[in-house]
C-alpha cells in the first residue's frame, strides 16, 4: 500500500511548527497554562476526566510536570487535598524532572514517587516517574525494576517502553554487536507481545534510532545520520516496513503520543531514502515536531526537520 501524497498548499513558514509535548491536546494546554499561574484546579479537573486511561494520564502528568513551578503548585494542591492521588502523582513527577536537571534531591524524588504509588496502587504513573529518574540517576537494575512495575500495571504503556528502549540502547557502547544488541531483542519482543494494532509496532524503529544516537555520541558512527549507513541495514529495512504498515492500517489516531511515533517513522524513512513515505509522514506531523529523533546525535532539531521537510516536500530547508 502506497502512502497518500501530501496535499498542495502545505504551510511554508519556517516557524509553523513548535516543540510542544502537549501536541494537539487542547485541554492539556489549557490546564498547563492555568497551572503556570498557580491555578491547579484545571489540572485537577483534567486528571479526574482522564481517569485510568493510563497512556493519556502518564502523558498529561509528564507535560504538566515539566513546568518549572509545577512542584510548588502541586505542593499547594497536596496541602489542600492531602489524600489526592493526582496531586501526589504530579508532585512526584515534577520532583523527578527537577532531580534530572540537578535542581532536586534524587532521594526526595524517589520518596515522592513511592508516596504517590501508595495512594494509587493500580496507577503505573508513579513508577513511570521512577523510570524517568532511574534512566538519569539509577542503575540498570533500578531501570528494569521500575519498568516491570509499570508494565505489570499497563502491559503496553507507550512512554515506559520508549524509555526502556533508550535505557537499553545506552548499554554497551561498542559497535561490534550493533546489529544484535539487546535493545533490538527487547523491542522485537515488546512489539510482538503487544495486541494487534498497538503503536508498540514502532518500537524496533525507535530501538534502531536510539542505538544510532548512542553510537554516534561515542564516535562509533558519523555524526551526520545521512553518512552513517545506519538506515541501510537489513534490520533497519525490516523494522521500518512493519512499523509503516502499522501506521497505514491503524485506526487509533487519538493516541496521546502518536506524534512521537510519527516523528521517529518520518526520520527513519527520510534517512532510508523513502521520499514518498517520508513526505506523507511529515505532512501528517504538521506542526507537532518532536526534538527526538531530529536532534540525534547532537543536531539542531529545527534545522534538521526543516531540511528533511524541504527535501521531500520541496519547500526549502531554510
Amino acid at each position: 500500500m502506497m502512502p497518500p501524497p501530501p496535499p498542495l498548499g502545505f504551510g511554508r513558514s519556517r516557524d509553523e511548527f513548535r516543540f510542544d509535548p502537549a501536541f494537539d491536546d487542547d485541554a492539556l494546554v489549557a490546564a498547563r497554562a492555568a497551572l503556570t499561574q498557580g491555578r491547579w484546579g484545571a489540572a485537577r479537573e483534567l486528571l479526574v476526566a482522564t481517569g485510568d486511561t493510563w497512556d493519556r494520564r502518564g502523558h498529561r502528568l509528564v507535560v504538566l510536570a515539566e513546568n518549572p513551578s509545577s512542584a510548588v503548585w502541586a505542593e499547594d494542591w497536596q496541602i489542600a487535598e492531602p489524600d489526592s492521588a493526582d496531586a501526589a502523582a504530579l508532585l512526584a513527577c515534577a520532583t523527578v524532572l527537577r532531580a534530572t536537571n540537578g535542581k532536586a534531591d534524587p532521594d526526595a524524588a524517589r520518596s515522592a514517587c513511592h508516596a504517590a504509588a501508595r495512594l494509587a496502587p493500580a496507577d503505573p504513573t508513579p513508577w513511570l516517574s521512577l523510570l524517568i529518574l532511574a534512566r538519569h540517576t539509577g542503575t540498570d537494575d533500578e531501570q528494569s525494576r521500575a519498568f516491570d512495575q509499570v508494565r505489570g500495571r499497563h502491559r503496553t504503556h507507550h512512554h515506559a517502553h520508549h524509555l526502556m528502549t533508550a535505557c537499553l540502547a545506552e548499554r554497551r557502547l561498542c559497535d561490534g554487536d550493533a546489529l544484535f544488541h539487546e535493545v533490538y531483542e527487547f523491542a522485537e519482543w515488546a512489539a510482538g507481545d503487544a495486541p494487534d494494532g498497538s503503536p508498540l509496532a514502532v518500537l524496533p524503529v525507535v530501538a534502531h534510532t536510539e542505538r544510532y544516537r548512542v553510537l554516534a555520541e561515542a564516535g562509533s558512527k558519523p555524526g551526520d545520520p545521512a553518512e552513517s549507513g545506519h538506515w541501510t541495514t537489513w534490520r533497519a529495512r525490516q523494522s521500518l516496513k512493519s512499523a509503516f504498515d502499522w501506521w497505514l492500517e491503524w485506526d487509533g489516531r487519538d493516541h496521546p503520543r502518536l506524534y512521537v511515533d510519527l516523528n521517529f517513522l518520518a526520520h527513519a524513512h527520510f534517512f532510508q531514502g523513502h521520499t514518498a513515505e517520508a513526505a506523507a509522514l511529515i505532512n501528517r506531523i504538521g506542526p507537532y515536531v518532536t526534538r527526538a529523533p531530529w536532534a540525534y546525535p547532537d543536531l539542531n532539531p529545527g534545522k534538521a526537520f526543516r531540511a528533511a521537510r524541504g527535501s521531500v516536500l520541496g519547500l526549502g530547508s531554510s
Side-chain angles (χ1 to χ4, degrees):
M1 184 184 301
M2 287 299 294
L8 297 175
F10 187 93
R12 294 174 180 267
S13 168
R14 69 178 60 187
D15 296 319
E16 82 281 2
F17 66 84
R18 54 194 176 276
F19 298 107
D20 184 353
F23 302 133
D24 56 354
D25 189 337
D26 293 338
L28 175 57
V29 171
R32 180 181 59 185
L35 187 62
T36 301
Q37 300 170 1
R39 295 183 285 113
W40 48 262
R44 181 185 187 278
E45 293 175 5
L46 178 73
L47 294 174
V48 168
T50 307
D52 60 359
T53 307
W54 299 128
D55 275 327
R56 191 170 301 279
R57 176 177 172 81
H59 174 69
R60 284 175 163 176
L61 273 165
V62 170
V63 172
L64 289 172
E66 288 177 342
N67 189 295
S69 60
S70 289
V72 173
W73 303 127
E75 286 179 342
D76 281 1
W77 179 5
Q78 196 169 51
I79 291 171
E81 299 182 3
D83 296 327
S84 170
D86 291 341
L90 178 58
L91 178 59
C93 192
T95 308
V96 161
L97 295 180
R98 286 177 55 79
T100 62
N101 291 322
K103 297 179 180 178
D105 179 11
D107 289 336
R110 197 170 294 109
S111 295
C113 291
H114 286 297
R118 287 192 294 272
L119 283 173
D123 184 3
T125 313
W127 300 100
L128 174 68
S129 297
L130 276 171
L131 179 55
I132 294 171
L133 183 67
R135 184 189 174 196
H136 291 270
T137 68
T139 64
D140 292 354
D141 286 344
E142 287 172 331
Q143 294 167 1
S144 297
R145 285 197 298 270
F147 173 74
D148 288 345
Q149 291 289 343
V150 176
R151 199 172 192 274
R153 290 163 172 79
H154 183 44
R155 185 165 67 93
T156 59
H157 199 290
H158 189 275
H159 195 171
H161 279 84
H162 275 243
L163 283 170
M164 195 63 202
T165 299
C167 290
L168 290 172
E170 290 161 2
R171 299 178 187 176
R172 288 191 298 154
L173 298 182
C174 58
D175 193 21
D177 63 344
L179 294 179
F180 302 97
H181 190 273
E182 62 186 306
V183 71
Y184 295 120
E185 181 180 0
F186 168 79
E188 290 167 1
W189 162 76
D193 189 59
D196 290 343
S198 169
L200 293 187
V202 181
L203 210 59
V205 175
V206 176
H208 200 67
T209 308
E210 293 290 357
R211 190 60 181 162
Y212 165 71
R213 170 182 59 84
V214 173
L215 292 172
E217 287 174 349
S220 298
K221 291 277 189 181
D224 183 349
E227 297 178 359
S228 69
H230 194 71
W231 280 271
T232 61
T233 66
W234 62 267
R235 183 180 291 281
R237 292 192 297 270
Q238 181 182 46
S239 62
L240 196 51
K241 181 184 185 307
S242 298
F244 191 69
D245 287 347
W246 159 82
W247 178 61
L248 289 175
E249 298 169 3
W250 189 49
D251 61 1
R253 305 294 174 175
D254 64 342
H255 192 280
R257 285 169 49 85
L258 171 64
Y259 292 103
V260 174
D261 290 324
L262 295 185
N263 275 269
F264 271 93
L265 282 175
H267 179 270
H269 272 295
F270 175 69
F271 286 110
Q272 203 169 103
H274 296 164
T275 302
E277 290 87 345
L281 287 157
I282 286 175
N283 181 70
R284 179 64 179 84
I285 287 166
Y288 304 113
V289 184
T290 57
R291 295 185 185 279
W294 300 104
Y296 291 173
D298 188 24
L299 305 176
N300 180 305
K303 289 182 178 179
F305 179 78
R306 288 189 190 99
R309 184 189 62 186
S311 177
V312 300
L313 297 181
L315 304 179
S317 60
S318 63

